[in-house]
Amino acid sequence: MPNYGTPPLVISHGSGSRVWDTQGHAYLDLIAGIAVSALGHAHPALVEAVCRQVGRLAHISNLYLHEPEVLLAERLLHLLGGDGRVFFANSGTEANEAALKLVRRHAGAGRPHVVAAWQSFHGRSMGSLALAGKPAIRDPFAPFGFDVRFVPYGDTEALARAVTPECAGVFLEPIQGEAGIVEPPPHYLRAARDRCDETGAVLVLDEVQSGIGRTGEWFHHLAVGVRPDVVTLAKGLGGGLPIAACVGFGTFGSVFAKGDHGSTFGANPVACAAALAVLEVIERDDLLANARTVGGVLRDGIARTDHPLLRGVRGRGLWLGIVLAGPYGARVEEAARQAGFLINAVQPDVVRLSPPLVLTVEEARAFLDALPGILTTALDAEVR
Ligand SMILES: *Cc1c(COP(=O)(O)O)cnc(C)c1O
């Protein structure tokens, strides 16, 4: 279907932070399948874990337990530092659907609305899409059957006004991804936590893109010291295998009763084995430190690049938004591709870098060396 337009490349294979197209051209992959391929491509630990698991048991459904799902749930709760329970799904939008149903189930009838932020993105299925603070992707599919109130992201007072005792829950990205790597003011998430405590609304943090080491920390909410009631995870978790999690802390882990929710493929053994390998390699190879170091090199290098197309750079770890002087994103993306770098125009005037967490300083430098030429090519390109 034409929903993705026509992608510009056919990718054949990858290794580390590199991919090759079917013509044999190599690219440095600074997108990693939209912040997904945390270990890069064809990482031996991921290949081994997936091959071993598919050779033992590929699927069993939720009618039975298997060991990888139990180990993964325990591992996630340990990393999250909380006591709670995990529901496994297959994609970010499904993790948020689970969170939405959890919020509904917890709230009962007296709390008719939920709150979300302008410019937010939580996925494309009808529940998550109802939370999207982007009219262009949301409005063609309205109505959604429940009341979502939108607030400007980062505005503490607007949040306090919207989160009333009639509010069932608040959905926020701790740093907005699709909006262009937008971080709220320092005390925003704390204020959201406090307002939810005052009113009894459930605080859901969507760490689908920001989580699992992307920012140089396991989870951004831990870095800022704010504990949500529910957190959702996906993208980087499986290193390329489809897996997602909706984690409820404390009593929020036990809101669903038997029969309230389910997924045939959720907690798929192969996807769980992949996620366990991802978490193990991130820890073993200290990829959080690597994300901070190499991310710092990239960020500083971009900040020091003097070019009329550059407005600035923002983000944390290996998750950066290069802000352009106008709507040149698509042209910069194309010029980068022609120079052998995959980057993504996440907004008309913002280019996103979300490379594998294994990216090296040398690879980062190669991009920085090429960046002025890429920008000049984009500036000179004829408007199509
Ligand atoms: C990508 C993303 C989603 C949706 O994930 P899918 O796997 O595409 O359904 C949800 N929330 C955030 C913050 C995302 O970045």
Side-chain angles (χ1 to χ4, degrees), residues 54-245:
V54 80
R56 284 174 67 86
L57 182 72
H59 178 78
I60 197 72
S61 90
N62 48 48
L63 297 176
Y64 309 100
L65 271 179
H66 56 83
E67 283 183 348
E69 68 181 324
V70 179
L71 294 174
L72 180 60
E74 287 176 348
R75 190 86 194 88
L76 282 175
L77 289 170
H78 172 76
L79 293 173
L80 286 159
D83 111 75
R85 288 169 186 267
V86 183
F87 172 80
F88 286 115
N90 313 285
S91 64
T93 203
E94 285 174 76
N96 286 325
E97 293 290 331
L100 261 173
K101 283 180 69 176
L102 189 159
V103 164
R104 260 278 148 272
R105 193 77 161 100
H106 177 261
R111 293 172 177 266
H113 76 270
V114 298
V115 169
W118 287 118
Q119 309 306 323
S120 65
F121 182 77
H122 300 286
R124 300 285 198 149
S125 54
M126 290 296 272
S128 304
L129 185 61
L131 305 171
K134 292 182 183 177
I137 67 166
R138 181 185 198 268
D139 290 358
F141 301 96
F144 299 97
F146 65 103
D147 182 7
V148 185
R149 312 248 169 109
F150 289 96
V151 291
Y153 187 66
D155 181 338
T156 305
E157 277 161 31
L159 191 72
R161 281 194 300 275
V163 183
T164 63
E166 286 75 51
C167 172
V170 179
F171 285 77
L172 291 172
E173 295 162 86
I175 297 175
Q176 289 189 325
E178 298 307 304
I181 326 296
V182 177
E183 197 165 330
H187 301 296
Y188 184 63
L189 295 174
R190 165 58 41 203
R193 174 71 277 173
D194 291 347
R195 188 62 186 151
C196 286
D197 290 342
E198 282 161 24
T199 57
V202 183
L203 179 62
V204 181
L205 291 183
D206 178 345
E207 292 240 30
V208 164
Q209 193 163 160
S210 56
I212 318 290
R214 183 51 49 200
T215 61
E217 306 285 345
W218 278 111
F219 308 100
H220 186 60
H221 72 268
L222 289 185
V224 296
V226 170
R227 293 211 150 270
D229 301 313
V230 175
V231 70
T232 55
L233 304 170
K235 290 195 166 87
L237 178 58
L241 276 282
I243 184 165

